[in-house]
Amino acid sequence: MIIIGELINSTRKKIKQAIDEQDVKYIQELAKKQEEAGADYIDVNSGAYVHDEVKYLVWLVEIVQEVVEKPLALDSPNPKALEEAMKVHEGTPMINSISAEKERYDKLIPLLKGTDTPVIALCMSDEGMPETAEDRLKVANKLLDMLDKDDVKLSNVYLDPLIKPVSVNGEYGPQALDAIEKIAKLESGCHITSGLSNISFGLPHRALLNQAFIVLAMGRGMDSAIVDPLDQKKMSLVKAAEVILNLDPYAMNYLKAARADKLV
Ligand code: THG
């Protein structure tokens, strides 16, 4: 599983406060902890700042890269913010995200064309948020087609089916899982990711629902997730599921984690 650590996000109160106070240490500690916990990418998002999003995204990239080796996932719908953050990022960042919405797509594609930049592609178009698994598959197919034509390697694409809360509609769980399976069956070579904590919004013991969802989604072919990597139970479940799905040959990773006393 490719883990994208979600905690440096200005929609979280503590992060908003840390940005307001320019508390470099707090943010750097959180970045290091996520890396140590096994994050492959560290997501950074300053979207709570309508007017200063660009400035703070650039700042987050600078301070987080001082303390981690892993690349960052630049999280913004704003092509300008992504462009400026890419300029200061050392090495290749992940872009979170592009979509099939024409204006956003056209502005972002020049930054991606012919590069080796991993990019999350949301299953969303100008027709709005998809409802059913079929709707998501349609947008996924369209995006894969567009990106392929625009010289983006599909092995660098992370399709995000967009997860909605099961507390809003009981069918949102099955629809998300079916969408993951349908996208995986395309065998396009792309990855599948999602911000899975949306699934549990509005219900108690959210971590428990997120844990159940990540295992179910892995069983249907999801190979990446935007999550809180400091949740040890979830990270342990991921390692256990990888053994069962034969994604961890000879349980090498699992055994290594066990020896390091990292499984709970
Ligand atoms: N897909 C993609 N990117 C995404 C999302 C997605 N980026 C943002 C988001 N969704 C994933 N990241 C987070 C980060 C933090 C939290 C949830 C998702 C979080 N939320 C608390 C809550 O919802 O209750 C906020 C409370 C707080 O801490 O203040 O922690 O789907 N591609």
Side-chain angles (χ1 to χ4, degrees), residues 31 51 147 159:
H51 299 293
L147 290 163
L159 279 179

Side-chain angles (χ1 to χ4, degrees), residues 6-7 34 37 196 206-212 214 227-239 262 264:
E6 72 181 7
L7 294 174
Q34 292 185 90
L196 59 87
R206 291 185 62 183
L208 189 58
L209 290 157
N210 297 344
Q211 288 156 6
I214 200 167
V227 290
D228 170 6
L230 305 187
D231 177 346
Q232 284 187 302
K233 179 54 96 182
K234 178 168 55 226
M235 295 299 274
S236 297
L237 282 165
V238 165
K239 290 191 181 76
K262 283 195 173 153
V264 294

Side-chain angles (χ1 to χ4, degrees), residues 110-241:
L111 303 178
L112 298 170
K113 224 181 199 352
T115 71
D116 238 321
T117 309
V119 59
I120 298 179
L122 306 181
C123 289
M124 185 152 72
S125 67
D126 288 314
E127 286 161 48
M129 282 276 277
E131 187 72 15
T132 64
E134 273 306 325
D135 292 344
R136 287 177 169 80
L137 184 67
K138 233 183 254 167
V139 186
N141 267 314
K142 184 177 166 187
L143 268 166
L144 291 172
D145 219 50
M146 291 161 75
L147 290 163
D148 186 48
K149 284 202 182 97
D150 281 324
D151 202 13
V152 174
K153 287 190 206 86
L154 297 188
S155 58
N156 283 326
V157 174
Y158 290 68
L159 279 179
D160 181 340
L162 294 174
I163 307 300
K164 297 196 252 180
V166 294
S167 60
V168 173
N169 180 337
E171 277 306 307
Y172 284 165
Q175 281 169 3
L177 293 168
D178 287 348
I180 288 166
E181 179 165 298
K182 285 179 196 295
I183 294 168
K185 284 202 169 136
L186 294 174
E187 300 199 30
S188 66
C190 78
H191 300 274
I192 303 173
T193 196
S194 57
L196 59 87
S197 67
N198 293 344
I199 201 82
S200 61
F201 189 79
L203 285 169
H205 297 285
R206 291 185 62 183
L208 189 58
L209 290 157
N210 297 344
Q211 288 156 6
F213 184 78
I214 200 167
V215 173
L216 288 164
M218 287 174 72
R220 307 290 277 275
M222 188 176 80
D223 68 345
S224 168
I226 307 160
V227 290
D228 170 6
L230 305 187
D231 177 346
Q232 284 187 302
K233 179 54 96 182
K234 178 168 55 226
M235 295 299 274
S236 297
L237 282 165
V238 165
K239 290 191 181 76

Side-chain angles (χ1 to χ4, degrees), residues 28 55-67 72 85 88-90:
Q28 287 183 333
K55 178 173 98 182
Y56 287 133
L57 194 64
V58 165
W59 180 73
L60 285 173
V61 170
E62 286 170 344
I63 65 164
V64 171
Q65 279 213 299
E66 277 175 22
V67 295
L72 311 194
V88 295
H89 188 285
E90 289 165 36

Side-chain angles (χ1 to χ4, degrees), residues 61-89:
V61 170
E62 286 170 344
I63 65 164
V64 171
Q65 279 213 299
E66 277 175 22
V67 295
V68 299
E69 302 287 326
K70 291 282 159 64
L72 311 194
L74 311 176
D75 188 352
S76 171
N78 175 356
K80 187 75 197 159
L82 293 171
E83 184 178 358
E84 295 304 315
M86 271 177 109
K87 281 186 198 157
V88 295
H89 188 285

